[in-house]
Amino acid sequence: MRVGIFDSGVGGLTVLGAIRKLFPQVDIVYLGDTARVPYGNRSPETVVRYSLECADFLLGRDIDVLVVACNTASSYSLDALSEFSDVPVVGVVEPGVKEALRHTEGRVGVIGTRATVKSGSYQRLLRSFGAQVFAKSCPLFVPLVEEGLLEGEITERVARMYLEELKGKIDTLILGCTHYPLLKPVIRKVLDGIHIVDSSEAVAKELLDIVEDEGSGATELFFTDNYQNLEEIIERILPYQKLSVNFNKALFP
Ligand code: DGL
């Protein structure tokens, strides 16, 4: 089987890592839209257009399932993608919410990009199950991860600035952005004792019902732009993965 995964950039590689852990044999094709990242500050119409272009690219590569490994794209484009795609489409929002509901006593925090939080996608779904929701956008987290500042004084101060206000209000926190799992240790330091839901792991588990673990185990990575420290970031996100990687460039008109 071949799993297609796309993200606005490199964050979705955390999802790829979680999928590869559960499915060593499947073939994976990943597309990171590095030429147009971040999606998190763009309008809904633009996010939908970009998402459809990414899906079109992957569907042209004979995939059996399409994983939207970007919370922003999942928040705005899932309906359009499901209509467009002839294979099952799996986003990150629903699996993250399901996982949170398994752990929470009713007070859930969600952190994500501005666009994800503004879309209300997590809030609506969580509230429909009766949870109390506290959502917060953390726009500096993505550049911190991309700069490799995964810990240390600056990152901790930024994390405190965003997260202190959630202390005492929540028992579970959803990492509603695919970059954030890399900041888990710092987030844990600030919000000690809170259950953290990594939506990358949640989406991988969701595939257990859809994906058979068969194939050659190949991983193919495509990016729409090769910026300077891209390979370094890939290595940082997937350090333990033995990937057979074809580094390719995908171009959109
Ligand atoms: N990968 C995106 C997400 O999960 C974050 C980066 C972006 O803003 O494009 O929302």
Side-chain angles (χ1 to χ4, degrees):
M1 278 192 111
R2 193 191 296 263
V3 178
I5 306 174
F6 84 85
D7 176 43
S8 56
V10 290
L13 293 170
T14 59
V15 176
L16 191 161
I19 292 175
R20 179 52 85 213
K21 237 191 219 168
L22 287 189
F23 302 94
Q25 294 308 322
V26 291
D27 295 319
I28 298 179
V29 195
Y30 178 93
L31 173 63
D33 195 2
T34 40
R36 304 188 293 194
V37 70
Y39 285 9
N41 298 324
R42 300 200 190 272
S43 69
E45 297 74 27
T46 302
V47 174
V48 172
R49 179 161 57 87
Y50 288 178
S51 301
L52 289 172
E53 284 175 357
C54 290
D56 192 39
F57 177 85
L58 290 171
L59 288 165
R61 277 169 173 73
D62 214 17
I63 55 171
D64 298 294
V65 57
L66 176 66
V67 177
V68 186
C70 173
N71 288 264
T72 311
S74 296
S75 294
Y76 288 101
S77 319
L78 217 54
D79 289 345
L81 286 168
S82 300
E83 212 168 291
F84 180 70
S85 168
D86 50 5
V87 301
V89 179
V90 180
V92 273
V93 175
E94 214 182 294
V97 166
K98 273 197 210 160
E99 188 66 19
L101 292 171
R102 268 196 275 276
H103 297 279
T104 185
E105 281 164 23
R107 294 171 302 134
V108 183
V110 180
I111 54 175
T113 63
R114 280 206 179 94
T116 297
V117 170
K118 196 162 166 231
S119 77
S121 58
Y122 277 101
Q123 297 93 311
R124 266 193 308 280
L125 197 55
L126 284 160
R127 285 190 188 120
S128 74
F129 289 98
Q132 229 184 320
V133 189
F134 300 86
K136 175 89 187 160
S137 61
C138 307
L140 288 175
F141 277 179
V142 168
L144 281 172
V145 168
E146 303 229 330
E147 280 305 316
L149 292 169
L150 305 184
E151 55 195 349
E153 198 193 325
I154 295 170
T155 307
E156 268 185 57
R157 281 178 71 173
V158 173
R160 281 187 204 289
M161 175 180 85
Y162 287 136
L163 305 178
E164 288 278 6
E165 68 184 71
L166 298 177
K167 261 189 180 167
K169 290 190 183 146
I170 59 170
D171 57 65
T172 301
L173 177 72
I174 301 178
L175 306 183
C177 173
T178 47
H179 280 70
Y180 297 0
L182 294 153
L183 297 174
K184 230 194 269 181
V186 170
I187 293 170
R188 220 185 269 290
K189 237 186 199 175
V190 180
L191 293 174
D192 192 26
I194 280 166
H195 186 83
I196 295 180
V197 174
D198 178 338
S199 50
S200 334
E201 287 165 5
V203 75
K205 280 190 211 157
E206 188 80 12
L207 294 184
L208 287 168
D209 290 337
I210 308 173
V211 173
E212 300 273 330
D213 188 22
E214 49 195 38
S216 65
T219 306
E220 216 177 351
L221 304 182
F222 289 87
F223 294 94
T224 49
D225 193 18
N226 183 3
Y227 51 74
Q228 263 187 1
N229 57 342
L230 183 57
E231 292 196 44
E232 194 187 301
I233 298 173
I234 295 170
E235 180 66 31
R236 188 178 304 134
I237 298 181
L238 294 170
Y240 310 114
Q241 302 283 324
K242 282 208 181 87
L243 301 172
S244 71
V245 174
N246 291 324
F247 195 80
N248 290 304
K249 200 166 170 192
L251 287 174
F252 295 128

